[in-house]
Amino acid sequence: LLSFVVKTKPSTTHNRSDYNSFGYHFVADLDVSPEKVCNFLRQIECRYQVENPYHNNIHAADVTQTLHCLLQFIEVDVIECLFKSEDIFSIILAATFHDVGHPGTNNLFQKHARTPFAIRYNDHSILESMHSALGHSLLMGGKKQEEWDVFRNWSDSQITHARDVMMSSILDTDMSTHFHSLEKIASGVEKVKASYNASASRTSPVGIFAGGDKQEATPILSILAKSLDAKEDNDENKNEELKKECCQLARQVLSFLLHAADISNPAKNHDLAVYWANKALDEFFAQGDIEHAKDLPISPLCDRKTVKKPDSQIGFLKFVVQPTYDLLGKIIPRVKEELMPIIGENIRYWTKEKTRLSLLKVAKVVATAAAMTPRRNTIDEEEHEGSITNKGSKQ
């Protein structure tokens, strides 16, 4: 994050889009102190429990980096129309503390064990509420200190907006709201497309297709950018209702990017995907052991005696990650082009791994049976020889 913060603003003789893939320019645009940001990150990192196999400081860094990459997938001109610098800074900062203080056990455990976190946050988005509260207490609450006051030079309205972005995006990482979030984004995309097409057909005598010939539908990000571009605010034909819908969808997409980054492990190359799968299951199984010892209900994927790694990953990929990135790919084309093939490869890997382990299990059963067969033959032969000897002695 520090490297993003210290990017300097391009000179007036250069286009911002020519300066970088896109640079964040937080120092110039937002009067942010790199030193204070660095101090805040140190405070956040030391509050992650490094002994957690999965939810630790490395996971936080990974999610922050992945969010950055997803933002870079959006074209420069488009992203500058969609989001203000305050939005980008806030969502990246939120990524750094989205899991801060994680105890290594999930929301179900908190609820079943009636932990202090569950009691404090009323069983609703328990850990997400805790992460957000802890981060905000350092940024603007009772634990705020001058040396890490990153918002020192911001106006009150800017700080309020930043808190809203960070708080809502962290709460949206709650997996219990995952499918609702997907439905909300998909519905928002269709609503904006319908409004845009209706508006375009009213303002153009040939409708939305130039020359009356059917062309490829306008990408949703282009619709959002065109509707939210401040340079077109004086356009008499601009649809205010469409602009309102676009503004709402853009905000949802920003939050959705953090959620997508949070579950992005299976969208990474094979080695990383397997590494994070192992770390996640290590943490889940440790929770299951605690639940078993405390006579609590064992949470899904937490029973080391019944959970099979390939099945857990295939299910997560097919029912959670793939639909998420499929939807994201309809919004950001590079996601479809670059990440969906990786997800497909990981599904194929875990499917092959499931088959391999099944065959290995069968082979072990066959080997065990084969090992026992000669012993039984020997016993039969000994009994047969004994009966002949007995017969001989009787004769």
Side-chain angles (χ1 to χ4, degrees):
L1 177 62
L2 186 60
S3 64
F4 307 152
V5 171
V6 298
K7 295 286 187 184
T8 54
K9 197 168 185 175
S11 67
T12 54
T13 59
H14 292 85
N15 222 318
R16 184 183 287 254
S17 59
D18 295 333
Y19 178 78
N20 207 320
S21 52
F22 82 80
Y24 297 110
H25 317 295
F26 295 142
V27 172
D29 291 350
L30 301 175
D31 198 12
V32 171
S33 163
E35 181 181 359
K36 292 182 185 297
V37 171
C38 196
N39 289 338
F40 173 73
L41 294 180
R42 291 194 184 99
Q43 290 297 316
I44 285 298
E45 184 167 26
C46 74
R47 285 169 170 79
Y48 274 96
Q49 297 190 22
V50 295
E51 64 272 17
N52 288 346
Y54 184 81
H55 289 103
N56 52 38
N57 55 329
I58 300 174
H59 168 68
D62 176 70
V63 170
T64 304
Q65 170 65 15
T66 303
L67 173 65
H68 159 68
C69 291
L70 291 175
L71 287 168
Q72 293 291 323
F73 277 1
I74 304 174
E75 294 179 1
V76 180
D77 294 341
V78 172
I79 201 169
E80 290 185 345
C81 292
L82 297 184
F83 309 121
K84 297 182 293 184
S85 291
E86 290 96 325
D87 295 320
I88 303 296
F89 182 80
S90 299
I91 197 69
I92 293 176
L93 202 63
T96 68
F97 66 89
H98 81 281
D99 271 332
V100 67
H102 199 291
T105 50
N106 64 20
N107 282 337
L108 270 181
F109 177 88
Q110 308 301 318
K111 181 178 179 179
H112 291 153
R114 299 189 187 93
T115 66
F117 290 145
I119 300 301
R120 181 180 303 166
Y121 298 111
N122 302 306
D123 292 347
H124 180 70
S125 297
I126 300 166
L127 293 178
E128 293 74 22
S129 297
M130 181 272 288
H131 304 319
S132 178
L134 178 53
H136 282 93
S137 70
L138 289 165
L139 285 169
M140 53 192 71
K143 296 180 180 179
K144 183 179 73 173
Q145 298 292 329
E146 168 66 23
E147 55 262 38
W148 63 74
D149 183 8
V150 300
F151 297 123
R152 177 176 176 77
N153 299 320
W154 288 32
S155 67
D156 188 63
S157 61
Q158 284 179 306
I159 295 173
T160 299
H161 178 72
R163 171 166 163 74
D164 189 31
V165 170
M166 293 186 292
M167 184 168 53
S168 60
S169 63
I170 292 174
L171 291 177
D172 280 348
T173 63
D174 183 354
M175 283 303 300
S176 70
T177 65
H178 169 78
F179 294 104
H180 174 69
S181 295
L182 257 64
E183 183 180 347
K184 183 171 63 175
I185 294 289
S187 175
V189 167
E190 293 307 314
K191 185 177 180 181
V192 165
K193 283 183 177 179
S195 297
Y196 175 77
N197 289 339
S199 177
S201 64
R202 288 195 299 269
T203 57
S204 173
V206 294
I208 62 173
F209 303 117
D213 296 327
K214 188 172 182 179
Q215 298 179 349
E216 187 176 344
T218 306
I220 186 65
L221 283 186
S222 297
I223 296 174
L224 296 180
K226 180 177 176 63
S227 300
L228 299 176
D229 189 351
K231 291 180 290 188
E232 297 192 18
D233 281 347
N234 295 324
D235 187 348
E236 294 180 357
N237 295 322
K238 198 157 189 176
N239 186 324
E240 287 302 318
E241 183 61 29
L242 174 60
K243 182 179 179 180
K244 182 179 177 180
E245 292 173 0
C246 288
C247 185
Q248 183 179 20
L249 180 58
R251 175 66 180 276
Q252 291 171 349
V253 168
L254 187 66
S255 182
F256 190 54
L257 288 175
L258 177 56
H259 176 54
D262 194 27
I263 60 172
S264 66
N265 302 145
K268 294 180 168 66
N269 66 58
H270 167 77
D271 290 343
L272 277 175
V274 173
Y275 169 85
W276 284 117
N278 289 333
K279 291 297 183 181
L281 286 174
D282 285 347
E283 189 167 297
F284 296 165
F285 291 159
Q287 173 179 318
D289 294 342
I290 298 172
E291 289 170 328
H292 178 74
K294 291 180 175 290
D295 199 26
L296 295 171
I298 298 182
S299 301
L301 299 178
C302 292
D303 191 341
R304 66 173 71 247
K305 295 179 180 178
T306 61
V307 173
K308 295 178 175 59
K309 187 186 299 182
D311 288 336
S312 71
Q313 296 308 300
I314 292 169
F316 185 52
L317 275 155
K318 286 188 174 181
F319 296 107
V320 177
V321 178
Q322 193 173 46
T324 298
Y325 278 80
D326 180 61
L327 175 58
L328 195 58
K330 294 175 181 177
I331 300 171
I332 305 173
R334 282 186 64 185
V335 169
K336 179 181 179 180
E337 297 165 4
E338 299 182 32
L339 299 186
M340 289 302 290
I342 296 175
I343 291 172
E345 289 174 6
N346 285 327
I347 291 175
R348 287 189 290 274
Y349 165 76
W350 287 113
T351 302
K352 290 179 181 178
E353 185 68 1
K354 178 180 179 179
T355 301
R356 184 185 72 82
L357 292 177
S358 296
L359 293 175
L360 185 61
K361 184 176 180 180
V362 171
K364 287 182 178 180
V365 172
V366 171
T368 300
M372 294 178 64
T373 301
R375 290 179 58 194
R376 181 161 296 281
N377 290 342
T378 301
I379 293 171
D380 292 342
E381 290 172 3
E382 290 175 351
E383 291 176 349
H384 179 65
E385 289 176 0
S387 64
I388 292 175
T389 302
N390 290 335
K391 288 178 181 180
S393 63
K394 288 179 182 180
Q395 291 175 353

